């Protein structure tokens, strides 16, 4: 499947910001399940972008504005062709050993309730247990926008049994690690099967390291393993590590953030159309 | 030097100067209010102190009504007044403390001494004690200025400290002069009458310029001559023209040391040229109050330019 | 008069002992009062957390010097260089090929899930492969058989300002004593540090790299030391807000415009150094700093992630680590340590808690530890519960019979327990040790806790020349 993504993030500052620094994790890498055909990042004000790769294997752009700015829009557009690999990730070079993904982070620290929940998954092979874990979270934590915020920990979201995809993913990661299975957070996009192309927010899910198989995706919010409807963008130890944009403005005060996201399959007839971009 | 260091030095200078100015405003108000009370003279004096300190909106918003007690308390100690004497000295000391190593021991001790004294004297309410307090505040600004001029190297640290003092002093002299504008003469009093005369004299005394006035003009006190002394006279160290001269010279020293002139230098020297060409008759013609308001706006613009060029 | 654990006078103290015999009886006390006065006036203070009253407290200074003979120092210096060389090689390996994990020298999980291991640094190489530019190694001696390492402080070790101030004070108080001893100058430390930092600058920094000291600010307990060092090095003392990163380059804001910074001697912990990479709510860091660092445009001293080498659990593997990376046996010994993460060790420890010192793996400053012999039954039982709940978090060591040094106590000298923190500097140009260190002394009779936050004092440390 070919998936076209158009993702705009707009920052409007209370006062003109003298200077803005941001770290962007907005660019996907190719692997067996996805080929990046075209990708570009554009800003509506003059800014320098420096590209690098972090230890987690993400493409990072450091963004620096060049003059005082009262609003900044970062627009990412591109096209990725995907195949369904049953959620298994292959063809990625990992700098970090899987054991790193057993680390605690502030957002994914297990509390007694999560430990108990994870142990309740029961015995079995790791793959089987991860599937059961995904099912248990999908069934036990309701999807509800507004119940949690981006700074909620897995334990906090689990306590109220509500949250969005970030919370489902972080609860999954926390439990998997408790069970001794390395797990990481993935931010990305979902081409929704209900045809809802305009979306309010990007998607997120988890990946677990299964010995002998490698990294396998688990989308606890939807209760399925990623298919060819999924585009992986960035991974990290938790939501913070895979945040699409982390930044600071100097002198901009408190501003507002607006996200516009459009994810849709590309029709065959449109596939000829390609423009040059850098990824 | 680090912009933060320059910023702290500059604000140390400004806050110390402003504490001194507030003490002088309060002293003037006490004198003016002590006139044989005719109608609203007392209230007018205290309302004038609030207006010329530039804190009228904050004072009104605090729910206070004008009286000797409330104005004294608000301007000297008001916990809800971020530019009270107490707040100014505290902020001056906080700024100085963060750049301790850029100060001489003598200067630090003068500033720290002001802050210690503040704590020792408390918040006196009796008029005698309050007057002593104001004397103390004025003496600390002398000590700080003396310590800086006698012990500091003539480098950028010194120029930024002095620049802060000079910009604040220009602002303060202008405001002090404007006090007279706010002291509307009560009905029945004529311009040039006894009360009018007394008000002008008090004003002069508050900038330690009564004797200077007599030396310079050898005449009885006349409004336009007082204005001439405080606005245009270059012999008078607090006059707007003198302050402007100091600002220009400090900025020029910085430009020389750094080998670069900028908007602050251009703005400041343009203004000095205007002073050289101004005549007090013309100023009175178009209104002293309006002139002062214009000056204050330009002074703020200059302060903003200094901030932008050096301190951020 | 006693310079060792066994009640005899070490040779190195003999001249001092003779001098004291001829001195007027109240001389030491008078000098001691003088010293306190000087320190207070200079503002040599230390802020103690949670102690608002004495926000700026003076660390007690003992006027009797701690003296180390030339031979003794020679061995110590060799041992320190060996140890720090091994630590740098270990860090290079951990953040590189991880041979020491593969070879089974250290367990993988101990490293990979260690809170001080920074995955962000995996695959990175700081200039000259120097990770730990400044180390402060805590040593104790027990009897005659040499020194033991208590802790390797390789994150942002502090205390060097006391080492330097104490010497200055002693030279002022006892000029004639120096005339009778050939004391090696410790004052060269700041010069050594400056050269070391210059040599560590990134390639492309030019002949005269711009160095700064980065402090969390005046409210940090070691702020005095930060400003002291900046002053002595002749470099700017900056706070996070004074720096900014543009186009992967670090600049400081000055009145003459942005000035490029090449080397940052940072006294801020990893967690706080860049809110865009680590803790997002840090107000003392520099947004984007890690981007400049990864791009090789700035040197951070110490490097990010060095803490994995001074973790108390990793410490227990140090003899093996030294052998693996240097091919030699460790010259400085480790204190025998039980790793409570290992079941057998835990059992043994629980059986004799009243004899042992138990430390939290991530603790520092003498907090979160149990000193068995001086604790009450209730304290021991409370600690036992903590230990059982989280054995991975603890190590245990025997209570060492620490050596003592003569210390002024009222009008006379009494033996008090001491430790020693020498400072070791590494750069691509080599590893050097300043001849001296910070001697900390437990002022309470019998006490083993020398931390300044818990009432310890300091002494000048004399290393004698041949």
């Amino acid at each position: 499947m070919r998936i076209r993504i158009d993702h705009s993030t707009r920052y409007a500052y209370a006062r003109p910001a003298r200077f803005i620094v941001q770290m962007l994790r907005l660019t996907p890498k190719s692997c067996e399940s996805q080929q990046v055909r075209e990708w570009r990042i554009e800003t509506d004000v003059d800014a320098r972008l420096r590209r690098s790769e972090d230890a987690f294997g993400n493409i990072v752009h450091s963004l620096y504005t060049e003059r005082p700015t009262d609003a900044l829009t970062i627009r990412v557009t591109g096209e990725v062709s995907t195949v369904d690999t049953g959620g298994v990730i292959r063809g990625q070079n990992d700098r970090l050993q899987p054991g790193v993904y057993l680390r605690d982070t502030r957002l994914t620290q297990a509390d007694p309730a999560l430990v108990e929940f994870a142990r309740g998954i029961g015995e079995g092979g790791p793959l089987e247990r991860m599937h059961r874990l995904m099912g248990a979270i999908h069934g036990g934590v309701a999807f509800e926008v507004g119940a949690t915020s981006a700074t909620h920990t897995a334990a906090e979201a689990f306590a109220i049994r509500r949250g969005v995809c970030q919370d489902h993913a972080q609860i999954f990661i926390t439990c998997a690690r408790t069970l001794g299975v390395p797990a990481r957070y993935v931010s990305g996009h979902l081409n929704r099967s209900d045809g809802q192309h305009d979306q309010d927010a990007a998607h997120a899910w988890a990946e677990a390291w299964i010995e002998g198989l490698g990294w396998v995706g688990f989308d606890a919010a939807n209760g399925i393993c990623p298919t060819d409807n999924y585009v992986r963008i960035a991974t990290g130890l938790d939501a913070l590590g895979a945040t699409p944009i982390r930044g600071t403005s100097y002198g901009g005060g408190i501003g507002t953030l607006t996200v516009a996201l459009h994810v849709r399959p590309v029709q065959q007839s449109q596939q000829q159309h390609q423009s040059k971009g850098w990824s | 030097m680090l912009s933060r260091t320059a910023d702290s030095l500059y604000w140390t200078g400004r806050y110390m100067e402003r504490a001194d100015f507030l003490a002088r405003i309060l002293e003037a108000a006490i004198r003016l209010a002590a006139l044989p009370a005719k109608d609203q003279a007392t209230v007018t004096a205290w309302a004038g102190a609030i207006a010329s300190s530039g804190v009228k909106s904050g004072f009104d918003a605090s729910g206070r009504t004008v009286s000797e007690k409330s104005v004294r308390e608000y301007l000297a100690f008001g916990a809800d007044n971020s530019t009270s004497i107490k707040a100014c000295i505290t902020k001056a000391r906080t700024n100085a403390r963060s750049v301790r190593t850029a100060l001489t021991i003598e200067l630090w001790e003068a500033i720290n001494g002001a802050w210690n004294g503040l704590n020792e004297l408390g918040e006196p309410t009796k008029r005698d004690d309050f007057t002593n307090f104001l004397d103390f505040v004025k003496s600390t600004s002398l000590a700080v200025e003396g310590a800086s001029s006698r012990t500091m190297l003539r480098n950028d640290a010194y120029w930024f400290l002095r620049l802060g003092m000079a910009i604040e002093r220009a602002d303060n002299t202008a405001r002090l002069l404007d006090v007279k504008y706010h002291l509307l003469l009560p009905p029945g009093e004529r311009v040039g009458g006894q009360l009018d005369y007394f008000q002008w004299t008090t004003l002069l005394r508050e900038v330690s310029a009564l004797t200077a006035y007599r030396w310079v003009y050898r005449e009885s006190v006349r409004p336009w001559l007082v204005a001439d002394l405080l606005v245009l006279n270059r012999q008078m160290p607090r006059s707007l023209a003198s302050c402007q001269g100091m600002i220009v010279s400090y900025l020029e020293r910085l430009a020389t040391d750094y080998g670069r002139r900028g908007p602050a230098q251009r703005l400041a020297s343009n203004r000095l040229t205007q002073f050289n060409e101004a005549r007090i008759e013309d100023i009175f013609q178009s209104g002293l109050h309006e002139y002062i308001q214009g000056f204050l706006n330009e002074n703020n613009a200059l302060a903003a330019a200094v901030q932008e060029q050096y301190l951020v | 008069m006693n310079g060792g654990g066994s009640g005899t006078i070490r040779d190195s103290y003999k001249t001092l002992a003779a001098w004291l015999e001829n001195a007027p009886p109240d001389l030491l006390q008078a000098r001691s009062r003088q010293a306190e006065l000087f320190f207070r006036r200079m503002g040599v203070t230390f802020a103690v957390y949670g102690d608002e009253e004495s926000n700026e407290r003076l660390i007690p200074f003992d006027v009797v010097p701690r003296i180390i003979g030339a031979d003794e120092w020679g061995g110590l210096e060799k041992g320190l260089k060996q140890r720090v060389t091994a630590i740098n090689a270990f860090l290079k390996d951990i953040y590189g090929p991880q041979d020491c994990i593969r070879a089974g020298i250290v367990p993988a999980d101990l490293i990979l899930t260690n809170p001080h291991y920074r995955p962000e640094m995996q695959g990175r190489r700081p200039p000259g492969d120097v990770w730990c530019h400044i180390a402060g190694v805590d040593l104790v001696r027990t009897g005659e058989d040499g020194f033991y390492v208590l802790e390797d402080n390789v994150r942002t070790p502090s205390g060097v300002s006391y080492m330097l101030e104490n010497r200055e004070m002693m030279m002022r108080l006892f000029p004639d004593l120096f005339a009778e001893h050939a004391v090696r100058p410790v004052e060269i430390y700041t010069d050594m540090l400056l050269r070391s930092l210059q040599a560590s600058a990134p390639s492309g920094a030019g002949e005269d790299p711009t160095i700064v000291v980065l402090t969390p600010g005046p409210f940090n307990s070691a702020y005095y030391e930060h400003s002291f060092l900046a002053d002595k090095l002749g470099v700017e003392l900056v706070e996070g807000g004074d720096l900014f990163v543009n186009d992967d380059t670090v600049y400081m804001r000055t009145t003459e415009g942005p000035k490029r910074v090449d080397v940052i001697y940072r006294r801020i912990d990893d967690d706080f150094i860049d809110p865009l990479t680590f803790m997002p709510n840090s107000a003392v860091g520099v947004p984007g700093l890690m981007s400049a660092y990864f791009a090789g445009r700035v040197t951070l001293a110490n490097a990010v992630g060095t803490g994995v080498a001074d973790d108390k659990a990793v410490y227990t593997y140090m003899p093996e680590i030294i052998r693996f990376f240097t091919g030699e046996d460790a010259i400085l010994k480790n204190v025998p340590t039980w790793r409570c993460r290992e079941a057998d060790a835990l059992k043994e420890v629980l059986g004799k808690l009243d004899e042992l010192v138990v430390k939290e793996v991530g603790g520092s400053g003498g907090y979160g530890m149990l000193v068995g012999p001086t604790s009450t039954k209730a304290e021991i039982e409370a600690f036992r519960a903590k230990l059982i709940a989280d054995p991975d978090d603890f190590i245990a060591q025997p209570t060492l019979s620490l050596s003592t040094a003569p210390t002024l106590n009222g009008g006379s000298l009494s033996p008090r327990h001491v430790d020693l923190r020498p400072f070791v500097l590494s750069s691509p140009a080599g590893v050097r040790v300043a001849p001296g260190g910070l001697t900390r002394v437990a002022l309470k009779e019998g006490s083993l806790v020398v931390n300044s936050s818990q009432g310890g004092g300091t002494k000048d440390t004399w290393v004698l020349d041949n």
Side-chain angles (χ1 to χ4, degrees), chain B residues 219-296:
Chain B
E219 265 201 67
S220 63
V221 173
R222 294 175 199 285
W224 55 91
L225 292 183
V226 175
D228 183 62
L229 183 70
L230 293 185
V231 176
L232 296 179
N233 195 300
R234 293 293 294 266
Q235 287 176 290
M236 175 65 202
R238 293 195 68 105
S239 73
L240 300 187
S242 289
C243 290
Q244 194 59 36
M246 285 188 275
I247 292 170
V248 167
S249 76
Y250 301 145
L251 282 171
E252 287 305 324
R253 291 299 295 259
L254 286 169
T256 308
D257 288 359
Y258 293 159
R260 193 156 69 190
R261 285 167 59 87
Q265 277 82 8
R266 287 195 290 278
L267 211 58
S269 59
N270 279 347
R271 237 174 47 153
L272 190 59
T273 314
Q274 288 165 25
F275 271 106
N276 291 339
E277 291 160 358
R279 296 187 320 148
I280 199 69
E281 292 80 0
D282 300 339
I283 292 173
F284 262 78
Q285 196 87 57
S286 52
L288 181 59
H289 174 66
E290 287 69 24
Y291 178 81
I292 289 172
Q293 290 303 316
F295 177 88
L296 286 172

Side-chain angles (χ1 to χ4, degrees), chain A residues 18-19 21-23 48 50 53-56 62 64 95-97 99-100 102-103 237 240 246-248 250, chain C residues 98 111-115 117 119-120 122-124 243-248 253 275-278 280 287-288 291:
Chain A
R18 283 199 308 282
F19 178 58
V21 187
Q22 294 184 335
M23 298 301 135
R48 283 170 205 271
R50 291 270 172 194
E53 192 174 318
D54 71 12
F56 299 90
S62 312
Y64 307 97
R95 205 190 289 181
L96 295 172
Q97 290 195 39
V100 171
L102 288 167
R103 295 169 71 81
L237 287 167
L240 185 65
R246 284 175 80 170
T248 298
Y250 290 87
Chain C
Q98 303 190 333
I111 301 298
L112 302 182
T113 61
N114 192 298
Y117 165 72
E120 293 80 1
Q122 193 64 50
R124 314 279 183 187
L243 301 180
F244 68 96
V245 177
N246 192 358
D247 203 14
D248 289 0
R253 297 167 207 286
L276 303 191
T277 299
F278 300 113
S291 297

